[in-house]
């Protein structure tokens, strides 16, 4: 029996390849995810080991939750120097410094930091060209910044720091060990120490940290303990090795989430692959019916028949796992290379390795998926009576009653799990519900197959080949349903995400036109150390005095600590203007200017905390001691400023930055908004991070990120759709083999090759469009359900992306045409006499 199975498998190499291809792609994604994250983790570990190679012990001010640490003083450096075992102690100054390119725009990176520091001559940086900065108007730049911005020694460079744009002369370009332009794609600038202190920390004679070098014979751990004992509990004292590990661990924690996302999409790909493998083995078993019946008549038991099919699945799974693992290693290496170079990260990759997790998951997933998908066809094959099978009288199509009832129950269970998941904000329940719902819909698909396929096929059956193609796609509802269900999964997920993002966009547009009663929005496009870009308060005063401006206000923003809860707070310059432009309605108290000890709250937060007008709220701001505020007013539920605390303007002095982060303006009635915008924009000529936009421009900028998210998801789900396309090809190719004799007879009675190809193409297009229609319907339901669940989070409108859905239908039809090419060519090339004689 073993030999018979292997010979049967090897005699049909095309069937073997088609069966294994879907599993290969799924395994490739899984193993590639592990290879990618393993390579990046080791690369970042090497990076931070290099970054802290010259640090024996580091001293920094202790970070208290919700509070900005105070910088170090020269006295702290003197105290460290007095510790026995210290060879040197150098004060470090570091802070945000954003370079402006020669085009007048701020140079950005893809996540790598932009910072400035004080040139000490004791760090890892070595001057490559020119010299170190010596005067107040001089800086040295890193090699990567010089290359990115096209700067050379002698050029001027403009920088944004805590102060407005300032221009410096570049006196030198530095590099790191091995001639590297950067450690990890950072853009860095070196100032003289006094200038660095003023621009990066905002004070003179202060430092952000101390780098300590151990004397010969003193261990890093011993020196750390001695320094910590000398300075006391107000400082964090760590060895360079510990710092490197902490930084690497933070990055690796983020990479874990990245890996989970990739594995999630790999799981979707495998889920789609199960449909394809299930369909493939159903067709294979149907084609081997007479062969298996002959084995039964020769004495093979039902168990041996099942074993034969499962053995074939094991062989296919083993081959697919090996190939998928090898392809995954290649894909993981390629993605790591792209990650290290795209956006200027300039990460030096560690050697590509194959972690054991990639190997184990590849073989476990590949073989288990294939075997599980083959069990049902194997059981079905064992139940066919040998004599009936040899007479080609195998059991006719079974009724769909049981599978339909089962599908309805499973779909209901999935919907219930989704509802509870959204209610309880439980990701396992949500993902589990989606998975179960897909299975339920897949089980319901056969009952929908005949009527829907017949209806879709009528659009293409204007000729005899088209009519035959429509009937062929409807002749086996289960096969058509499984093939279409594979395509349904990918399209439904993309459609669901599109519905959610379209709804979010529509909600923001409604919010902007309804509650945001402002004509101009002034805000920054980028983030600086987690904070938005800012501008000076005196510039806001100039905006208020600009011809055509009726009123204007702005706010500083920061995170504050209320008990153990982190809250978002704004210090508003004009509460009256805030009420007018944000259409706030008082729920309790009067919305009026705040005293220094007063606070305004949104209704939902006040209700949650049982706060009323007159209640006291204690907050820890970034600077200073905890402050107690009295609730002056509570505004009615509003989507604007949702969850924010409104503080008096004076509170900005205890924020991390007291500058304005966002401002709003209304123009005089009858005045052109565009004209006023042109008069306001020159006020921010020295701050290229700040943009002045009208309301529509602001909405467009806010929602543009949704397009990026949708594109990323479409790219990741493209693999699932690719597997589904292979499923269509697989089904058609195996179906052509199964119908060889039938095709020969059609050719014999006069059907031309072009007509045969058209017939196969119509069958493929009908199946693909059927899968797309199912996907659109399921995705629409999933998206609408998600929007309803997120109603309290600000997504109040349901938006249906009709044009996008039409595009998916067109793409599905195109996919059907492409999927039909190879099977159609094979069918057209069949030798008529050989085909008629085919058994």
């Amino acid at each position: 029996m073993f030999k018979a199975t292997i010979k049967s498998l090897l005699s049909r190499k095309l069937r073997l390849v088609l069966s294994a291809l879907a599993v290969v792609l799924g395994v490739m994604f899984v193993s590639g995810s592990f290879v990618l994250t393993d390579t990046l983790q080791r690369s970042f570990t090497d990076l931070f080991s290099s970054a802290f190679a010259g640090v024996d012990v580091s001293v920094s001010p202790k970070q208290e939750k919700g509070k900005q640490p105070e910088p170090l003083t020269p006295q702290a450096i003197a105290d460290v120097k007095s510790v026995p075992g210290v060879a040197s102690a150098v004060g470090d100054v570091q802070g945000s410094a954003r370079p402006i390119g020669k085009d007048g725009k701020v140079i950005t990176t893809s996540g790598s930091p932009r910072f400035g520091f004080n040139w000490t001559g004791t760090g890892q940086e070595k001057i490559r060209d020119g010299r170190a900065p010596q005067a107040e108007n001089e800086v040295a730049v890193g090699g990567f910044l010089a290359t990115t911005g096209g700067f050379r020694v002698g050029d001027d460079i403009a920088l944004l720091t805590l102060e407005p744009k300032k221009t410096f002369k570049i006196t030198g370009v530095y590099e790191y060990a091995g001639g590297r332009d950067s450690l990890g794609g950072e853009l860095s600038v070196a100032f003289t120490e006094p200038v660095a202190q003023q621009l990066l920390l905002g004070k003179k004679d202060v430092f952000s940290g101390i780098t300590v070098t151990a004397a010969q014979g003193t261990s890093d751990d011993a020196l750390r303990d001695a320094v910590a004992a000398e300075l006391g509990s107000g400082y964090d004292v760590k060895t360079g090795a510990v710092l490197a590990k902490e930084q690497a661990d933070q990055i690796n924690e983020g990479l874990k989430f990245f890996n989970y996302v990739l594995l999630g999409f790999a799981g979707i790909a495998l889920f789609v692959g199960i449909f394809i493998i299930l369909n493939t083995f159903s067709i294979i078993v149907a084609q081997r019916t007479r062969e298996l019946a002959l084995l039964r008549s020769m004495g093979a038991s039902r168990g041996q028949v099942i074993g034969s099919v499962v053995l074939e699945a094991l062989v296919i799974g083993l081959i697919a796992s090996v190939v998928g693992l090898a392809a995954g290693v290649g894909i993981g290496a390629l993605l790591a290379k792209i990650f290290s170079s795209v956006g200027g990260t300039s990460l030096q990759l560690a050697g590509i390795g194959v972690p054991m997790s990639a190997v184990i998951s590849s073989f476990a997933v590949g073989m288990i998926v294939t075997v599980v998908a083959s069990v049902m066809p194997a059981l079905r094959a064992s139940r066919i009576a040998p004599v009936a099978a040899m007479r080609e009288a195998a059991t006719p199509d079974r009724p769909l009653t049981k599978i339909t009832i089962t599908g309805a129950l499973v779909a209901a269970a999935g919907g219930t799990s989704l509802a509870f998941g959204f209610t309880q904000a439980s990701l396992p329940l949500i993902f589990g519900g989606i998975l179960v719902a897909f299975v339920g819909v897949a089980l319901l698909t056969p009952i929908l197959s005949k009527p829907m396929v017949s209806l879709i096929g009528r659009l293409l059956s204007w000729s005899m080949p088209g009519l035959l193609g429509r009937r062929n796609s409807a002749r086996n509802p289960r096969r058509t349903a499984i093939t279409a269900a594979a395509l349904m999964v990918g399209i439904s997920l993309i459609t669901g995400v599109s519905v959610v993002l379209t709804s979010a966009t529509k909600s923001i547009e409604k919010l902007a036109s309804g509650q945001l009663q402002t004509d101009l929005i002034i805000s920054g496009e980028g983030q600086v150390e987690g904070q938005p870009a800012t501008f000076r308060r005196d510039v806001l005063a100039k905006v208020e005095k600009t011809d055509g401006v009726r009123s204007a206000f702005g706010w500083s923003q920061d995170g504050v600590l209320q008990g153990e809860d982190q809250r978002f707070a704004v210090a508003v310059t004009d509460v009256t203007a805030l009420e007018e432009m944000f259409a706030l309605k008082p729920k309790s108290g009067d919305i009026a200017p705040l005293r220094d000890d007063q606070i305004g709250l949104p209704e939902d937060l006040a209700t949650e905390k049982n706060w009323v007008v007159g209640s006291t709220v204690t907050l820890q701001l970034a600077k200073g001691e905890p402050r107690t505020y009295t609730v002056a007013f509570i505004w009615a539920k509003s989507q604007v400023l949702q969850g924010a605390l409104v503080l008096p303007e004076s509170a900005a002095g205890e924020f991390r930055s007291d500058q304005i982060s966002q401002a709003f303006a209304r123009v005089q009635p009858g005045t052109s908004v565009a004209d006023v915008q042109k008069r306001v924009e020159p006020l921010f000529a020295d701050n290229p991070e700040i943009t002045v936009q009208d309301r529509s421009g602001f909405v467009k900028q806010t929602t543009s990120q949704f397009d990026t998210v949708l594109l990323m998801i479409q790219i990741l789900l493209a693999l699932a759709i690719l597997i589904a396309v292979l499923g269509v090809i697989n089904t058609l190719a195996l179906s052509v083999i199964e119908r060889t004799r039938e095709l020969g007879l059609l050719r014999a009675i006069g059907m031309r090759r072009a007509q045969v190809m058209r017939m196969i193409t119509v069958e493929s297009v009908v199946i693909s469009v059927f899968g797309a229609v199912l996907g659109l319907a399921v995705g629409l339901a999933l998206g609408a359900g998600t929007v309803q669940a997120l109603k309290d989070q600000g997504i109040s409108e349901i938006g249906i992306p009709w044009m996008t859905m039409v595009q998916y239908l067109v793409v599905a039809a195109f996919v059907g045409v492409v999927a039909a090419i190879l099977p159609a060519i094979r069918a057209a090339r069949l030798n008529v006499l050989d085909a008629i004689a085919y058994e």
Side-chain angles (χ1 to χ4, degrees):
M1 197 69 184
F2 176 79
K3 290 181 179 179
T5 301
I6 297 300
K7 283 190 175 182
S8 171
L9 189 63
L10 295 177
S11 66
R12 296 174 174 86
K13 296 180 178 61
L14 176 62
R15 189 176 73 189
L16 174 66
V17 172
L18 291 174
S19 304
L21 201 51
V23 185
V24 167
L25 289 173
V27 171
M28 177 186 72
F29 210 158
V30 171
S31 58
S33 300
F34 282 112
V35 170
L36 171 62
T37 50
D38 174 74
T39 302
L40 294 180
Q41 284 174 353
R42 289 185 290 106
S43 300
F44 279 111
T45 299
D46 293 347
L47 166 65
F48 291 115
S49 295
S50 299
F52 293 101
V55 178
D56 292 333
V57 171
S58 174
V59 178
S60 59
K62 186 175 287 292
Q63 176 71 60
E64 296 181 20
K65 188 175 181 181
K67 193 173 181 180
Q68 182 175 338
E70 291 293 328
L72 302 176
T73 63
Q75 182 59 49
I77 300 176
D79 292 342
V80 171
K81 287 182 177 178
S82 68
V83 174
V86 171
S88 66
V90 178
D92 300 319
V93 179
Q94 186 168 312
S96 173
R98 288 94 64 205
I100 299 173
K102 294 184 177 180
D103 58 356
K105 297 181 180 180
V106 175
I107 303 175
T108 60
T109 65
S110 298
S112 299
R114 296 170 296 173
F115 64 89
F117 64 98
N118 60 321
W119 182 269
T120 63
T122 60
Q124 296 186 65
E125 303 84 8
K126 304 298 179 186
I127 293 293
R128 174 195 296 168
D129 298 316
R131 59 172 176 81
Q134 297 173 355
E136 291 185 355
N137 65 334
E138 295 179 347
V139 294
V141 300
F144 188 62
L145 173 55
T147 302
T148 304
F151 295 112
R152 296 182 297 178
V153 173
D155 287 350
D156 289 335
I157 183 171
L159 299 166
L160 295 173
T161 57
L162 292 179
E163 297 187 9
K165 182 174 74 173
K166 291 184 178 295
T167 302
F168 296 86
K169 181 73 68 178
I170 297 176
T171 61
V173 176
Y174 54 84
E175 65 181 16
Y176 296 89
R180 296 170 62 183
D181 283 346
S182 73
L183 290 174
E186 74 281 357
L187 301 178
S188 59
V189 181
F191 301 89
T192 60
E193 188 168 284
V195 173
Q197 290 169 333
Q198 184 62 44
L199 298 184
L200 306 181
L201 300 181
K203 297 179 181 178
K204 295 182 179 180
D205 291 330
V206 291
F207 300 89
S208 51
I210 305 172
T211 297
V212 186
T213 305
Q216 190 171 4
T218 303
S219 70
D220 293 352
D221 291 341
L223 184 60
R224 175 201 59 201
D225 295 341
V227 171
E230 173 66 27
L231 294 178
S233 60
Y235 301 87
D236 280 328
V237 184
K238 300 176 181 178
T239 63
V242 169
L243 282 175
K245 185 178 184 304
E246 288 180 351
Q247 294 289 330
D249 287 346
Q250 287 182 13
I251 294 292
N252 292 340
E253 191 63 33
L255 290 175
K256 280 184 183 178
F257 176 78
F258 180 58
N259 196 35
Y260 293 151
V261 171
L262 290 178
L263 289 175
F265 284 102
I268 294 170
L270 286 169
F271 183 62
V272 173
I274 289 175
F275 287 106
I276 306 306
I277 300 300
L278 181 64
N279 209 22
T280 299
F281 275 94
S282 297
I283 299 173
I284 289 172
V285 169
Q287 292 176 357
R288 294 180 60 196
T289 298
R290 294 188 68 185
E291 174 190 328
L292 294 173
L294 183 60
L295 291 172
R296 289 286 308 280
S297 66
M298 293 172 62
S301 65
R302 288 182 61 182
Q304 287 178 310
V305 170
I306 295 173
S308 174
V309 178
V310 172
L311 176 61
E312 184 168 343
L314 273 172
V315 173
I316 291 172
L318 178 62
I319 294 172
S321 297
V322 172
V323 176
L325 175 60
V329 172
I331 289 295
L334 177 62
L335 290 176
K337 183 67 176 176
I338 293 173
F339 183 93
S340 68
S341 56
V342 170
T345 54
S346 188
L347 176 66
Q348 186 169 322
L349 290 176
I352 301 297
V354 183
M356 189 55 65
S357 56
V359 178
I360 294 173
S361 62
S362 295
F363 284 96
V365 167
M367 297 183 72
I368 289 174
V369 165
T370 312
V371 170
V372 168
S374 70
V375 169
M376 288 180 61
L379 290 172
R380 193 158 56 245
S382 69
R383 291 172 183 155
I384 300 175
V387 176
M390 285 189 287
R391 290 202 314 264
E392 295 186 350
T395 54
D397 282 346
R398 291 163 291 151
L400 300 174
T401 307
K402 289 184 179 179
I403 194 172
T404 301
I405 294 174
T406 304
L409 293 174
V410 173
T416 304
S417 177
L418 270 173
F420 276 109
F422 284 130
T423 304
Q424 304 297 324
S426 171
L427 285 178
L429 280 177
I430 292 173
F431 289 136
I434 291 174
L435 181 64
V436 173
F438 278 146
V439 173
V441 173
L443 293 174
L444 288 172
T445 304
I447 197 69
L448 302 172
S449 177
K450 267 196 173 180
M452 288 189 65
V453 164
S454 179
L455 180 63
I456 295 169
R458 288 184 185 278
L459 301 174
L460 303 170
S461 56
W462 59 82
S463 63
M464 184 54 65
L467 179 62
L468 289 174
R470 174 171 70 89
R471 291 180 175 175
N472 284 335
S473 58
R475 68 198 291 184
N476 193 325
R478 283 182 169 82
R479 182 180 300 177
T480 299
I482 293 175
T483 306
L487 189 60
M488 176 265 294
V489 173
I491 289 183
S492 62
L493 289 172
I494 293 178
T495 302
V497 172
S498 298
V499 169
V500 173
L501 296 182
T502 302
S503 300
T505 300
K506 190 174 180 181
S507 300
I508 291 173
E509 289 173 347
K510 182 181 179 182
L511 177 66
S513 60
Q515 296 185 29
L516 193 61
Q517 301 298 317
T518 180
D519 297 311
L520 296 176
I521 297 97
I522 305 167
S523 59
E525 294 182 336
Q527 293 276 319
V528 182
E529 295 180 351
Q531 290 285 101
T534 59
F535 58 93
R536 297 193 317 269
R537 291 177 172 272
D538 63 313
V539 180
L540 177 60
K542 294 177 182 177
V543 171
E544 294 174 335
K545 296 175 182 177
T546 300
D547 184 29
V549 173
R550 173 184 168 188
S551 61
F553 81 95
W555 63 51
S556 304
Q557 68 184 61
D558 201 359
V560 300
L561 202 62
Q562 183 266 312
E564 293 296 318
D565 298 324
Q566 190 78 23
R567 304 286 183 191
F568 172 70
V570 292
V572 181
T573 61
D574 187 340
V575 173
T576 304
L578 168 72
E579 177 188 18
E580 176 190 2
M581 293 191 210
F582 281 17
L584 296 181
K585 300 183 182 301
K587 178 71 175 180
S588 180
D590 295 325
I591 301 178
L594 296 170
R595 298 196 308 265
D596 290 348
D597 62 345
Q598 290 183 321
I599 188 174
L601 302 173
E603 179 186 4
D604 52 354
L605 179 60
T607 302
E608 176 192 339
K609 295 293 186 179
N610 294 318
W611 289 330
V612 296
V613 171
S615 297
T616 57
V617 180
T618 301
L619 303 176
Q620 173 62 66
L621 277 57
K623 301 175 184 176
E625 297 303 317
R627 292 177 60 93
T628 299
Y629 294 90
T630 301
V631 178
F633 60 81
I634 299 172
W635 66 84
K637 191 172 183 180
S638 169
Q639 298 298 332
V640 182
L641 276 184
Q642 193 173 28
L645 311 178
V646 173
L647 298 178
E649 184 177 7
S650 60
E654 296 184 15
F655 284 0
R656 278 179 285 179
S657 171
D658 66 347
Q659 297 195 72
I660 302 296
S661 57
Q662 202 160 16
F664 307 86
R666 294 191 71 177
V667 304
Q668 297 284 358
T671 305
S672 167
V673 174
D675 290 344
V676 176
Q677 181 178 351
K678 290 178 182 177
R679 288 194 284 270
V680 171
E681 285 175 337
L683 299 177
F684 300 92
D686 286 344
N687 198 334
E689 289 179 308
I690 301 298
T691 58
V692 181
Q693 301 174 95
D694 61 15
R695 193 161 44 195
S696 62
F698 178 73
V699 170
K700 185 176 180 181
Q701 177 187 317
T702 303
T703 58
S704 62
Q705 58 187 318
F706 297 155
D707 297 331
T708 304
V709 172
L710 181 60
L711 178 62
M712 290 174 60
I713 291 175
Q714 286 175 329
I715 292 172
L716 289 170
L717 285 176
L719 178 64
I721 295 177
L722 175 61
I723 294 176
V725 172
L726 290 172
V728 178
I729 298 173
N730 205 359
T731 299
L732 291 174
L734 293 172
S735 180
V736 166
I737 297 172
E738 185 180 49
R739 289 162 24 206
T740 298
R741 190 174 184 183
E742 175 187 320
L743 291 169
L745 290 172
L746 287 173
R747 290 292 311 284
I749 61 175
M751 181 174 275
R752 299 188 303 275
R753 287 185 173 181
Q755 290 177 313
V756 171
M757 295 179 70
R758 197 183 315 156
M759 179 182 70
I760 300 294
T761 302
V762 168
E763 183 177 352
S764 176
V765 170
V766 168
I767 293 173
S768 297
V769 172
F770 174 44
V773 170
L774 278 177
L776 292 175
V778 174
L780 197 57
L782 284 174
T786 304
V787 170
Q788 188 64 28
L790 296 175
K791 198 169 185 179
D792 292 338
Q793 306 301 317
I795 303 182
S796 57
E797 301 294 312
I798 293 182
I800 300 177
W802 294 111
M803 286 304 299
T804 303
M805 293 168 67
V806 170
Q807 290 172 1
Y808 291 157
L809 271 180
V810 173
V811 169
F814 177 73
V815 160
V817 173
V818 172
I821 292 175
L822 292 177
I825 291 174
R826 179 179 175 83
R829 288 180 176 176
L830 287 174
N831 182 283
V832 177
L833 295 179
D834 289 343
I836 293 173
Y838 183 82
E839 291 293 336

